Amino acid sequence: MKWISEITITGAQEHNLKNMDLCIPKNKLVVLTGVSGSGKSTIAFNTLQQECRRQYMESLGFHSEHISKPKVKSITGLSPAISVDQNNTNRNPRSTVGTITEILTKLRLLYAKIGVLKCPACGTQIRSLLSNINELEDIQEYDDNEDDYSDDADLITCPVCKKQIKALTIADFSFNNPLGACRRCGGLGYVSELKIDKLIKPERTIAQGAVTYWSESEKKMYTEVIQRAADYYGFTFNQDVPLCDMHEAAREIICYGVDSPKLLQLFPQKKAPSNIAYGRYIGAIPYMKRRLTQQRDDDRYKKQKEEYMTQEVCPECLGSRLNEHARSILLNGKSIDELCNLSIDQLFLTIKQLAENLDQSERVIFNSVFDTIDERLKNMIDLGLGHLTLNRSTPTLSAGEYQRLRLSSLLGSGLTGVLYVLDEPTVGLHQCDTARMIKILSRLRDMGNTILVIEHDVEFMKAADYIIDIGPGGGKNGGRVVACGTVDEIIRSKESLTARYIKNDFINIKKTRGRKGNESELTVLNASENNLKNVNVSIPLGKFVAITGVSGAGKSTLLFQIIARAAQNRFNNSHTVPGKHQDIIGWEHIDAVICIDQTPMGRISRSNVMTYTDIFKAIREIYAKLPEARLHGYEADYFSFNLPQGRCKRCQGEGTITVNMSYQDPVEIRCPVCKGKRYKKEILNIKYKGKSISDIFDLTIDEALQLFQDKTAICSKLQSLSNIGVGYLRLGQSSLQLSGGEVQRIKLSKELEKRKKGHVLYLLDEPTKGLHPYDVEKLLIILNELVDRGNTVVAVEHNIDLIQAADYLIDMGPGGGSDGGRIIACGTLDDIMQCNQSVTGKYFKKRVENEK
């Protein structure tokens, strides 16, 4: 059989692809590039990856017309595909870096087999090595939700007092298992405490808000209940006096309810009322505690949880998640929680030391897992993740960190003949780490795999075997192959925007803006959150400021965990707890703070561009006012896919239904009833300028601008989105499908619409994420306009174009994790390049020298 050397796509028409024909060479490192919205993700994920998945489903017998097939004439030479995108959908607080890489499972095995424990009777140190060491392969490996355990463990005998002790098992070191978890926090590492001072205001009457969360109707209802309780117990209740001046029993019932131990002491002869008619009330504090410990996802619940609860490190396990017994087991003098709190860089050096002082049988066990641990740690370091710890909770990882963590796991799989599809793997990486990423992916290619990478980094493009440039523009102006070939072949293209940036790659220092600012500063004193080492730093106001440094240097901790949270408390009446710091001086120079990070706009698939920007409400009202809609009595609610009046009953307005797959993640398929349209047939018959409400979901922002050009309110919001560089997005695109950079730009657009007065401090988290150099230029125009209006923009950033455009740089490091957390240099780019300790400075200095 003849070997197929390329993947051939013929007639691709998904989304904005214009009957595209494309050949992707196999066993090569291929970069897919182009401006935002040009069609890169459509080719990589919606066409190639989707067709791979469809064929897999059909191989399992799912022969159905409802299985979504990409709009493509044919794809030949397709290989099994693995996609590694940037969506960190893992919100499980029990999932950690250690669990998802399985490194922690290997460490648990070591500690269970060769750890040293103390005899509870005489204190003698005992080796836990079991007699049968040939069962290593049969040991159960636990995942993030492990909850099964066995009491059928072997027994070992203390050599001194002869007491029999249950031998250690892997479950004894699992914080997701009752045998190993800290009893106080249940293995979470933190405890949630109610902010009583935010909940109860003793100096107020009930009418004035003694219980801050009671609504007017609740005040009336609970006042009646407390009066019934007063009658039942026989005390006087006066609702018009402050809570602190009420009868002691009344205060106790309002705060802690009729089951309060103190109330039982006050009335020992009285049983608590059995129903509300006699005054039964759970109490404001127990009620809110019970409410906020439930797993709910609505906005009101989230807001109340943020306002009334605080998370603190568990005082018993100090954040290690493990109980005292698990923490007492040592291997070469170190406990497992000590290892989990080391950075990956430190753990890589420390793990070899664990083999010291082991006898021959123990060393056999150690060697059986050492190579796996060593390789996985090395892969993580090579991918720029050396600053992480095994104890780091997965939901706290950035999209780039999570993507690289998944990639590190794939490196050890040894698969060949696979198509790997990656979405901007350099996101969140400092320029100095890009070379290591290229080396890793080249290694994966050399194993006999095809690497297809969506990327905008010029250095990455230069290292690729083959480049495919899609464009020339975004949205309807994209969807074509502008140029393809080697770097030299791309450079010769006259139509390619990418070619322009490859040829002019070296930084021009003269581009630095160097605005003087307004001579005021915002100064942070003694910041010590996470790895920050008592940092003192001043941010000049009225300037464009970039915070730089390698991954894990402390940039996000400083800007978002300390400055942003403190600002939210001061200006937005928030109740978040800022990271550790002594003080922040200079707030009086600022009138408002807008924090625009990359957290999702919504946690559910129903959240989309229209719903987040409030455009959907105005559009539904347009449809409700159409003559045919009024004739049938269809109000605006009938055109909402979130309400039952008009949506499809089968898919509940989702347009898709979920099919559980064997051995793979669940797959969404098109709803067989509404065919993905979301609505009932009679609702789809109502049309505005020839388009149903479902058709609106498929319009891009730029297309919608044309459709609603005579609707000022809608047009204004759409124009703002287009100006910020996301005009290619579809209005109905789920927020879960958006990249962090797209989310951030949509948030920025929404804030720009408000046009706040006075001096505004804008805090941004890698705003260039997902942007082609051409789009970065457009973003810089908007950011510079904000500064020119008299505002301050501060951005955590790695992008070379944004860094060179900044007026002032704050460079952190010198490394990541425990090796970071310090201010290395501040000033202009020239100042940074003069600092020998600055990794950023060295990188730019080298580029300037190469330019000469």
Side-chain angles (χ1 to χ4, degrees):
M1 181 178 177
K2 186 179 179 181
W3 172 253
I4 301 175
S5 61
E6 58 189 19
I7 299 170
T8 303
I9 301 172
T10 305
Q13 299 179 33
E14 194 73 25
H15 296 159
N16 69 331
L17 302 185
K18 295 178 173 58
N19 205 31
M20 179 185 290
D21 295 338
L22 176 65
C23 291
I24 301 172
K26 283 190 171 184
N27 299 329
K28 302 290 184 182
L29 176 56
V30 181
V31 166
L32 203 57
T33 191
V35 299
S36 299
S38 59
K40 304 182 298 298
S41 295
T42 301
I43 296 170
F45 295 104
N46 302 107
T47 302
L48 281 174
Q49 172 67 12
Q50 178 69 5
E51 181 62 8
C52 284
R53 176 169 282 185
R54 188 189 72 83
Q55 290 186 15
Y56 171 77
M57 291 176 69
E58 288 199 345
S59 71
L60 296 178
F62 284 89
H63 296 286
S64 169
E65 63 174 354
H66 304 303
I67 299 175
S68 178
K69 184 181 187 302
K71 295 176 183 177
V72 60
K73 185 176 179 181
S74 68
I75 303 180
T76 59
L78 200 57
S79 305
I82 296 176
S83 65
V84 188
D85 57 26
Q86 296 177 8
N87 293 325
N88 183 0
T89 57
N90 190 338
R91 313 315 300 172
N92 183 358
R94 294 184 175 277
S95 174
T96 67
V97 171
T99 61
I100 63 177
T101 59
E102 297 184 355
I103 294 174
L104 185 53
T105 302
K106 305 298 181 184
L107 289 178
R108 290 173 186 158
L109 173 59
L110 286 181
Y111 274 81
K113 289 294 185 179
I114 56 178
V116 176
L117 66 160
K118 286 185 179 180
C119 172
C122 66
T124 301
Q125 289 191 334
I126 307 171
R127 298 279 187 180
S128 63
L129 179 64
L130 301 184
S131 57
N132 186 1
I133 64 172
N134 296 318
E135 297 178 352
L136 293 178
E137 298 300 323
D138 298 327
I139 291 182
Q140 178 184 357
E141 294 195 358
Y142 294 78
D143 60 21
D144 295 338
N145 297 301
E146 58 190 78
D147 53 15
D148 297 324
Y149 65 97
S150 172
D151 289 323
D152 300 328
D154 292 335
L155 297 175
I156 54 179
T157 303
C158 174
V160 176
C161 69
K162 307 304 179 184
K163 179 180 176 63
Q164 285 195 320
I165 308 164
K166 184 171 74 71
L168 297 173
T169 67
I170 192 171
D172 286 293
F173 301 94
S174 171
F175 48 76
N176 291 324
N177 191 297
L179 289 178
C182 168
R183 293 184 180 181
R184 175 70 186 276
C185 65
L188 288 173
Y190 62 84
V191 291
S192 296
E193 299 291 345
L194 211 57
K195 301 176 186 175
I196 305 298
D197 59 327
K198 299 291 183 183
L199 198 66
I200 304 295
K201 300 295 182 181
E203 72 282 1
R204 299 178 184 174
T205 66
I206 290 178
Q208 293 170 338
V211 180
T212 57
Y213 71 86
W214 279 359
S215 64
E216 291 303 318
S217 60
E218 286 174 324
K219 289 176 185 177
K220 182 179 179 181
M221 178 179 67
Y222 290 133
T223 297
E224 293 176 359
V225 174
I226 305 304
Q227 183 60 61
R228 292 172 192 166
D231 296 339
Y232 176 83
Y233 283 106
F235 63 81
T236 302
F237 170 58
N238 186 350
Q239 63 173 317
D240 297 322
V241 300
L243 184 63
C244 58
D245 294 331
M246 287 183 185
H247 189 283
E248 186 178 11
R251 291 200 305 271
E252 197 64 22
I253 293 174
I254 291 173
C255 293
Y256 296 101
V258 295
D259 292 324
S260 163
K262 189 171 184 179
L263 191 68
L264 296 177
Q265 292 178 2
L266 292 174
F267 302 98
Q269 304 303 319
K270 283 275 191 180
K271 291 185 179 180
S274 58
N275 57 59
I276 195 172
Y278 292 98
R280 179 162 188 81
Y281 176 52
I282 188 177
I285 293 173
Y287 170 80
M288 185 55 78
K289 189 168 187 177
R290 184 176 68 182
R291 171 181 168 79
L292 296 183
T293 52
Q294 295 173 345
Q295 295 297 322
R296 297 177 59 181
D297 204 36
D298 59 87
D299 290 337
R300 185 185 174 192
Y301 163 76
K302 290 179 182 177
K303 186 175 181 181
Q304 285 188 333
K305 191 166 186 178
E306 181 181 279
E307 183 173 359
Y308 295 121
M309 295 203 80
T310 180
Q311 289 184 351
E312 299 176 353
V313 175
C314 175
E316 187 167 317
C317 69
L318 302 179
S320 71
R321 303 167 179 250
L322 297 171
N323 58 35
E324 185 178 2
H325 173 66
R327 302 196 308 271
S328 69
I329 312 302
L330 304 179
L331 186 55
N332 199 25
K334 292 187 179 296
S335 63
I336 193 169
D337 61 298
E338 286 182 278
L339 296 185
C340 289
N341 284 320
L342 293 175
S343 69
I344 299 301
D345 284 329
Q346 294 172 321
L347 183 59
F348 180 70
L349 299 175
T350 303
I351 198 74
K352 297 176 183 178
Q353 300 172 1
L354 297 182
E356 295 177 7
N357 304 318
L358 297 181
D359 60 30
Q360 185 177 357
S361 58
E362 291 170 331
R363 195 174 290 274
V364 170
I365 296 175
F366 180 84
N367 291 338
S368 69
V369 298
F370 170 76
D371 288 342
T372 301
I373 295 176
D374 188 67
E375 181 186 10
R376 292 183 183 180
L377 290 175
K378 188 176 185 304
N379 286 339
M380 291 176 68
I381 292 170
D382 288 342
L383 288 168
L385 299 171
H387 61 283
L388 298 180
T389 66
L390 294 184
N391 219 17
R392 177 79 174 267
S393 177
T394 305
T396 67
L397 298 175
S398 70
E401 288 172 333
Y402 186 69
Q403 184 188 34
R404 297 198 298 279
L405 201 59
R406 289 183 59 201
L407 183 58
S408 73
S409 299
L410 292 172
L411 287 171
S413 66
L415 293 174
T416 61
V418 173
L419 168 64
Y420 287 94
V421 184
L422 293 93
D423 187 12
E424 287 195 88
T426 62
V427 164
L429 279 181
H430 190 273
Q431 299 89 350
C432 67
D433 293 319
T434 300
R436 287 195 294 183
M437 171 63 74
I438 294 169
K439 184 178 179 182
I440 287 282
L441 294 180
S442 297
R443 195 172 90 204
L444 206 57
R445 172 204 60 196
D446 295 341
M447 290 168 59
N449 300 299
T450 304
I451 316 298
L452 182 63
V453 181
I454 296 175
E455 190 55 75
H456 298 116
D457 185 90
V458 174
E459 291 293 330
F460 205 107
M461 294 182 204
K462 289 181 175 180
D465 302 313
Y466 198 80
I467 300 174
I468 301 170
D469 191 20
I470 307 298
K476 64 182 180 181
N477 296 319
R480 293 194 295 110
V481 177
V482 176
C484 57
T486 63
V487 174
D488 291 336
E489 290 171 328
I490 295 294
I491 288 175
R492 290 196 293 270
S493 171
K494 295 181 179 180
E495 192 180 3
S496 171
L497 279 173
T498 302
R500 213 172 75 199
Y501 293 95
I502 295 177
K503 287 185 289 188
N504 301 300
D505 189 35
F506 295 118
I507 290 299
N508 181 359
I509 303 301
K510 294 179 182 178
K511 290 182 180 179
T512 303
R513 294 295 300 256
R515 277 170 288 224
K516 294 182 179 179
N518 60 19
E519 299 184 355
S520 299
E521 295 179 332
L522 186 71
T523 301
V524 182
L525 298 177
N526 290 326
S528 57
E529 182 71 9
N530 294 338
N531 67 333
L532 298 183
K533 298 174 174 60
N534 294 315
V535 165
N536 296 313
V537 61
S538 292
I539 298 173
L541 302 179
K543 291 188 176 187
F544 184 8
V545 180
I547 302 180
T548 61
V550 299
S551 300
K555 306 181 296 296
S556 295
T557 298
L558 175 64
L559 191 61
F560 295 104
Q561 293 190 34
I562 296 179
I563 298 176
R565 289 183 183 179
Q568 295 294 333
N569 292 344
R570 182 180 180 90
F571 295 99
N572 299 333
N573 197 30
S574 180
H575 301 284
T576 57
V577 180
K580 298 173 186 175
H581 69 287
Q582 180 183 330
D583 198 6
I584 299 179
I585 302 170
W587 289 125
E588 67 274 12
H589 304 301
I590 298 169
D591 298 298
V593 175
I594 295 177
C595 177
I596 306 175
D597 58 18
Q598 297 182 9
T599 56
M601 299 185 304
R603 300 288 186 190
I604 58 177
S605 59
R606 292 180 182 274
S607 173
N608 59 43
V609 176
M610 283 192 296
T611 58
Y612 180 77
T613 57
D614 298 324
I615 293 173
F616 193 42
K617 181 180 180 182
I619 292 175
R620 288 190 287 114
E621 289 174 352
I622 290 174
Y623 275 84
K625 291 177 182 178
L626 293 173
E628 192 173 351
R630 297 177 73 173
L631 179 66
H632 291 87
Y634 297 155
E635 298 177 349
D637 288 351
Y638 281 75
F639 298 93
S640 171
F641 63 97
N642 289 320
L643 297 173
Q645 290 93 324
R647 72 186 181 188
C648 170
K649 291 183 179 180
R650 176 68 176 88
C651 64
Q652 302 292 300
E654 289 278 6
T656 60
I657 57 176
T658 302
V659 175
N660 291 322
M661 299 291 298
S662 302
Y663 311 112
Q664 277 206 351
D665 295 334
V667 174
E668 288 188 349
I669 65 173
R670 188 179 63 183
C671 174
V673 175
C674 69
K675 310 297 183 185
K677 297 292 186 180
R678 299 174 181 254
Y679 292 90
K680 297 175 182 176
K681 186 176 180 180
E682 53 268 31
I683 300 300
L684 295 173
N685 289 332
I686 310 298
K687 297 188 177 181
Y688 172 75
K689 294 185 179 181
K691 296 190 179 296
S692 70
I693 187 69
S694 179
D695 293 332
I696 301 299
F697 285 73
D698 294 325
L699 293 178
T700 66
I701 290 168
D702 287 337
E703 289 169 342
L705 259 173
Q706 298 297 317
L707 185 68
F708 297 108
Q709 57 184 326
D710 56 339
K711 305 295 181 183
T712 306
I714 296 177
C715 202
S716 175
K717 294 178 184 294
L718 291 172
Q719 189 63 58
S720 180
L721 288 165
S722 182
N723 292 343
I724 208 74
V726 291
Y728 60 89
L729 292 177
R730 290 179 295 109
L731 289 180
Q733 194 158 336
S734 170
S735 62
L736 299 181
Q737 296 174 347
L738 301 175
S739 70
E742 288 169 336
V743 166
Q744 190 169 201
R745 293 194 293 283
I746 292 172
K747 290 180 179 179
L748 181 58
S749 169
K750 191 174 182 179
E751 292 298 338
L752 290 175
E753 273 285 299
K754 299 176 182 178
R755 295 194 178 276
K756 290 183 175 290
K757 296 181 180 179
H759 186 112
V760 182
L761 173 62
Y762 292 89
L763 307 179
L764 308 177
D765 184 12
E766 290 193 70
T768 64
K769 180 181 177 183
L771 289 184
H772 186 274
Y774 174 74
D775 297 305
V776 173
E777 284 189 8
K778 293 196 293 185
L779 175 66
L780 285 173
I781 291 173
I782 292 172
L783 297 182
N784 279 317
E785 283 180 0
L786 288 176
V787 179
D788 290 338
R789 290 182 200 168
N791 302 306
T792 301
V793 173
V794 184
V796 169
E797 193 53 80
H798 297 292
N799 182 274
I800 57 176
D801 295 317
L802 188 140
I803 292 173
Q804 71 165 355
D807 304 309
Y808 192 86
L809 301 178
I810 298 172
D811 193 46
M812 300 186 67
S818 59
D819 293 328
R822 294 192 289 116
I823 302 297
I824 302 302
C826 294
T828 65
L829 187 53
D830 283 321
D831 296 327
I832 303 299
M833 287 194 295
Q834 298 306 313
C835 177
N836 292 329
Q837 274 191 298
S838 171
V839 177
T840 304
K842 289 178 182 177
Y843 173 82
F844 277 97
K845 193 173 182 178
K846 183 178 180 181
R847 291 178 68 84
V848 173
E849 291 172 353
N850 288 339
E851 186 180 25
K852 295 177 181 178

mmCIF file with all atom_site columns, all heavy atoms in Angstrom, residues 506-509 846-852:
data_model
loop_
_atom_site.group_PDB
_atom_site.id
_atom_site.type_symbol
_atom_site.label_atom_id
_atom_site.label_alt_id
_atom_site.label_comp_id
_atom_site.label_asym_id
_atom_site.label_entity_id
_atom_site.label_seq_id
_atom_site.pdbx_PDB_ins_code
_atom_site.Cartn_x
_atom_site.Cartn_y
_atom_site.Cartn_z
_atom_site.occupancy
_atom_site.B_iso_or_equiv
_atom_site.pdbx_formal_charge
_atom_site.auth_seq_id
_atom_site.auth_comp_id
_atom_site.auth_asym_id
_atom_site.auth_atom_id
_atom_site.pdbx_PDB_model_num
ATOM 1  N N   . PHE A 1 506 ? 12.702 42.140 13.682 1.00 0.00 ? 506 PHE A N   1
ATOM 2  C CA  . PHE A 1 506 ? 13.512 42.701 14.743 1.00 0.00 ? 506 PHE A CA  1
ATOM 3  C C   . PHE A 1 506 ? 12.910 43.976 15.309 1.00 0.00 ? 506 PHE A C   1
ATOM 4  O O   . PHE A 1 506 ? 12.335 44.794 14.601 1.00 0.00 ? 506 PHE A O   1
ATOM 5  C CB  . PHE A 1 506 ? 14.937 42.982 14.249 1.00 0.00 ? 506 PHE A CB  1
ATOM 6  C CG  . PHE A 1 506 ? 15.653 41.721 13.889 1.00 0.00 ? 506 PHE A CG  1
ATOM 7  C CD1 . PHE A 1 506 ? 16.084 41.487 12.600 1.00 0.00 ? 506 PHE A CD1 1
ATOM 8  C CD2 . PHE A 1 506 ? 15.880 40.766 14.853 1.00 0.00 ? 506 PHE A CD2 1
ATOM 9  C CE1 . PHE A 1 506 ? 16.734 40.314 12.268 1.00 0.00 ? 506 PHE A CE1 1
ATOM 10 C CE2 . PHE A 1 506 ? 16.532 39.591 14.538 1.00 0.00 ? 506 PHE A CE2 1
ATOM 11 C CZ  . PHE A 1 506 ? 16.958 39.364 13.243 1.00 0.00 ? 506 PHE A CZ  1
ATOM 12 N N   . ILE A 1 507 ? 13.050 44.132 16.600 1.00 0.00 ? 507 ILE A N   1
ATOM 13 C CA  . ILE A 1 507 ? 12.431 45.249 17.305 1.00 0.00 ? 507 ILE A CA  1
ATOM 14 C C   . ILE A 1 507 ? 13.107 46.575 16.963 1.00 0.00 ? 507 ILE A C   1
ATOM 15 O O   . ILE A 1 507 ? 14.319 46.684 16.911 1.00 0.00 ? 507 ILE A O   1
ATOM 16 C CB  . ILE A 1 507 ? 12.535 45.014 18.832 1.00 0.00 ? 507 ILE A CB  1
ATOM 17 C CG1 . ILE A 1 507 ? 11.605 43.874 19.224 1.00 0.00 ? 507 ILE A CG1 1
ATOM 18 C CG2 . ILE A 1 507 ? 12.182 46.251 19.615 1.00 0.00 ? 507 ILE A CG2 1
ATOM 19 C CD1 . ILE A 1 507 ? 10.150 44.168 18.916 1.00 0.00 ? 507 ILE A CD1 1
ATOM 20 N N   . ASN A 1 508 ? 12.289 47.571 16.740 1.00 0.00 ? 508 ASN A N   1
ATOM 21 C CA  . ASN A 1 508 ? 12.785 48.932 16.517 1.00 0.00 ? 508 ASN A CA  1
ATOM 22 C C   . ASN A 1 508 ? 12.580 49.722 17.805 1.00 0.00 ? 508 ASN A C   1
ATOM 23 O O   . ASN A 1 508 ? 11.473 50.092 18.154 1.00 0.00 ? 508 ASN A O   1
ATOM 24 C CB  . ASN A 1 508 ? 12.017 49.589 15.352 1.00 0.00 ? 508 ASN A CB  1
ATOM 25 C CG  . ASN A 1 508 ? 12.525 50.992 15.063 1.00 0.00 ? 508 ASN A CG  1
ATOM 26 O OD1 . ASN A 1 508 ? 13.422 51.494 15.731 1.00 0.00 ? 508 ASN A OD1 1
ATOM 27 N ND2 . ASN A 1 508 ? 11.940 51.629 14.065 1.00 0.00 ? 508 ASN A ND2 1
ATOM 28 N N   . ILE A 1 509 ? 13.673 49.967 18.538 1.00 0.00 ? 509 ILE A N   1
ATOM 29 C CA  . ILE A 1 509 ? 13.581 50.611 19.841 1.00 0.00 ? 509 ILE A CA  1
ATOM 30 C C   . ILE A 1 509 ? 12.976 52.010 19.747 1.00 0.00 ? 509 ILE A C   1
ATOM 31 O O   . ILE A 1 509 ? 12.341 52.502 20.663 1.00 0.00 ? 509 ILE A O   1
ATOM 32 C CB  . ILE A 1 509 ? 14.983 50.696 20.501 1.00 0.00 ? 509 ILE A CB  1
ATOM 33 C CG1 . ILE A 1 509 ? 15.574 49.287 20.609 1.00 0.00 ? 509 ILE A CG1 1
ATOM 34 C CG2 . ILE A 1 509 ? 14.905 51.326 21.870 1.00 0.00 ? 509 ILE A CG2 1
ATOM 35 C CD1 . ILE A 1 509 ? 14.753 48.323 21.417 1.00 0.00 ? 509 ILE A CD1 1
ATOM 36 N N   . LYS A 1 846 ? 19.758 40.993 22.777 1.00 0.00 ? 846 LYS A N   1
ATOM 37 C CA  . LYS A 1 846 ? 20.249 40.070 21.762 1.00 0.00 ? 846 LYS A CA  1
ATOM 38 C C   . LYS A 1 846 ? 19.592 40.351 20.417 1.00 0.00 ? 846 LYS A C   1
ATOM 39 O O   . LYS A 1 846 ? 20.244 40.319 19.364 1.00 0.00 ? 846 LYS A O   1
ATOM 40 C CB  . LYS A 1 846 ? 19.983 38.630 22.201 1.00 0.00 ? 846 LYS A CB  1
ATOM 41 C CG  . LYS A 1 846 ? 20.516 37.584 21.246 1.00 0.00 ? 846 LYS A CG  1
ATOM 42 C CD  . LYS A 1 846 ? 20.243 36.174 21.787 1.00 0.00 ? 846 LYS A CD  1
ATOM 43 C CE  . LYS A 1 846 ? 20.781 35.114 20.819 1.00 0.00 ? 846 LYS A CE  1
ATOM 44 N NZ  . LYS A 1 846 ? 20.512 33.737 21.319 1.00 0.00 ? 846 LYS A NZ  1
ATOM 45 N N   . ARG A 1 847 ? 18.304 40.660 20.432 1.00 0.00 ? 847 ARG A N   1
ATOM 46 C CA  . ARG A 1 847 ? 17.587 40.935 19.190 1.00 0.00 ? 847 ARG A CA  1
ATOM 47 C C   . ARG A 1 847 ? 18.118 42.201 18.515 1.00 0.00 ? 847 ARG A C   1
ATOM 48 O O   . ARG A 1 847 ? 18.260 42.271 17.295 1.00 0.00 ? 847 ARG A O   1
ATOM 49 C CB  . ARG A 1 847 ? 16.083 41.078 19.475 1.00 0.00 ? 847 ARG A CB  1
ATOM 50 C CG  . ARG A 1 847 ? 15.417 39.781 19.891 1.00 0.00 ? 847 ARG A CG  1
ATOM 51 C CD  . ARG A 1 847 ? 13.950 40.033 20.198 1.00 0.00 ? 847 ARG A CD  1
ATOM 52 N NE  . ARG A 1 847 ? 13.213 40.368 18.991 1.00 0.00 ? 847 ARG A NE  1
ATOM 53 C CZ  . ARG A 1 847 ? 12.711 39.478 18.144 1.00 0.00 ? 847 ARG A CZ  1
ATOM 54 N NH1 . ARG A 1 847 ? 12.886 38.184 18.378 1.00 0.00 ? 847 ARG A NH1 1
ATOM 55 N NH2 . ARG A 1 847 ? 12.053 39.857 17.071 1.00 0.00 ? 847 ARG A NH2 1
ATOM 56 N N   . VAL A 1 848 ? 18.401 43.221 19.340 1.00 0.00 ? 848 VAL A N   1
ATOM 57 C CA  . VAL A 1 848 ? 18.931 44.469 18.796 1.00 0.00 ? 848 VAL A CA  1
ATOM 58 C C   . VAL A 1 848 ? 20.300 44.242 18.175 1.00 0.00 ? 848 VAL A C   1
ATOM 59 O O   . VAL A 1 848 ? 20.625 44.763 17.104 1.00 0.00 ? 848 VAL A O   1
ATOM 60 C CB  . VAL A 1 848 ? 19.002 45.553 19.889 1.00 0.00 ? 848 VAL A CB  1
ATOM 61 C CG1 . VAL A 1 848 ? 19.717 46.791 19.364 1.00 0.00 ? 848 VAL A CG1 1
ATOM 62 C CG2 . VAL A 1 848 ? 17.613 45.914 20.367 1.00 0.00 ? 848 VAL A CG2 1
ATOM 63 N N   . GLU A 1 849 ? 21.123 43.417 18.863 1.00 0.00 ? 849 GLU A N   1
ATOM 64 C CA  . GLU A 1 849 ? 22.456 43.117 18.334 1.00 0.00 ? 849 GLU A CA  1
ATOM 65 C C   . GLU A 1 849 ? 22.365 42.353 17.022 1.00 0.00 ? 849 GLU A C   1
ATOM 66 O O   . GLU A 1 849 ? 23.143 42.591 16.092 1.00 0.00 ? 849 GLU A O   1
ATOM 67 C CB  . GLU A 1 849 ? 23.248 42.316 19.370 1.00 0.00 ? 849 GLU A CB  1
ATOM 68 C CG  . GLU A 1 849 ? 23.633 43.134 20.601 1.00 0.00 ? 849 GLU A CG  1
ATOM 69 C CD  . GLU A 1 849 ? 24.245 42.270 21.688 1.00 0.00 ? 849 GLU A CD  1
ATOM 70 O OE1 . GLU A 1 849 ? 24.237 41.024 21.529 1.00 0.00 ? 849 GLU A OE1 1
ATOM 71 O OE2 . GLU A 1 849 ? 24.705 42.834 22.708 1.00 0.00 ? 849 GLU A OE2 1
ATOM 72 N N   . ASN A 1 850 ? 21.401 41.433 16.931 1.00 0.00 ? 850 ASN A N   1
ATOM 73 C CA  . ASN A 1 850 ? 21.221 40.674 15.695 1.00 0.00 ? 850 ASN A CA  1
ATOM 74 C C   . ASN A 1 850 ? 20.773 41.573 14.549 1.00 0.00 ? 850 ASN A C   1
ATOM 75 O O   . ASN A 1 850 ? 21.113 41.342 13.390 1.00 0.00 ? 850 ASN A O   1
ATOM 76 C CB  . ASN A 1 850 ? 20.188 39.565 15.906 1.00 0.00 ? 850 ASN A CB  1
ATOM 77 C CG  . ASN A 1 850 ? 20.718 38.441 16.774 1.00 0.00 ? 850 ASN A CG  1
ATOM 78 O OD1 . ASN A 1 850 ? 21.932 38.275 16.911 1.00 0.00 ? 850 ASN A OD1 1
ATOM 79 N ND2 . ASN A 1 850 ? 19.817 37.681 17.378 1.00 0.00 ? 850 ASN A ND2 1
ATOM 80 N N   . GLU A 1 851 ? 19.990 42.608 14.916 1.00 0.00 ? 851 GLU A N   1
ATOM 81 C CA  . GLU A 1 851 ? 19.498 43.532 13.896 1.00 0.00 ? 851 GLU A CA  1
ATOM 82 C C   . GLU A 1 851 ? 20.658 44.297 13.264 1.00 0.00 ? 851 GLU A C   1
ATOM 83 O O   . GLU A 1 851 ? 20.640 44.606 12.068 1.00 0.00 ? 851 GLU A O   1
ATOM 84 C CB  . GLU A 1 851 ? 18.491 44.491 14.519 1.00 0.00 ? 851 GLU A CB  1
ATOM 85 C CG  . GLU A 1 851 ? 17.809 45.397 13.503 1.00 0.00 ? 851 GLU A CG  1
ATOM 86 C CD  . GLU A 1 851 ? 16.821 46.323 14.153 1.00 0.00 ? 851 GLU A CD  1
ATOM 87 O OE1 . GLU A 1 851 ? 16.980 46.619 15.351 1.00 0.00 ? 851 GLU A OE1 1
ATOM 88 O OE2 . GLU A 1 851 ? 15.882 46.774 13.480 1.00 0.00 ? 851 GLU A OE2 1
ATOM 89 N N   . LYS A 1 852 ? 21.660 44.583 14.073 1.00 0.00 ? 852 LYS A N   1
ATOM 90 C CA  . LYS A 1 852 ? 22.820 45.325 13.567 1.00 0.00 ? 852 LYS A CA  1
ATOM 91 C C   . LYS A 1 852 ? 23.659 44.444 12.645 1.00 0.00 ? 852 LYS A C   1
ATOM 92 O O   . LYS A 1 852 ? 24.274 44.891 11.719 1.00 0.00 ? 852 LYS A O   1
ATOM 93 C CB  . LYS A 1 852 ? 23.675 45.821 14.737 1.00 0.00 ? 852 LYS A CB  1
ATOM 94 C CG  . LYS A 1 852 ? 22.940 46.842 15.610 1.00 0.00 ? 852 LYS A CG  1
ATOM 95 C CD  . LYS A 1 852 ? 23.799 47.240 16.803 1.00 0.00 ? 852 LYS A CD  1
ATOM 96 C CE  . LYS A 1 852 ? 23.098 48.228 17.704 1.00 0.00 ? 852 LYS A CE  1
ATOM 97 N NZ  . LYS A 1 852 ? 23.890 48.581 18.892 1.00 0.00 ? 852 LYS A NZ  1
#
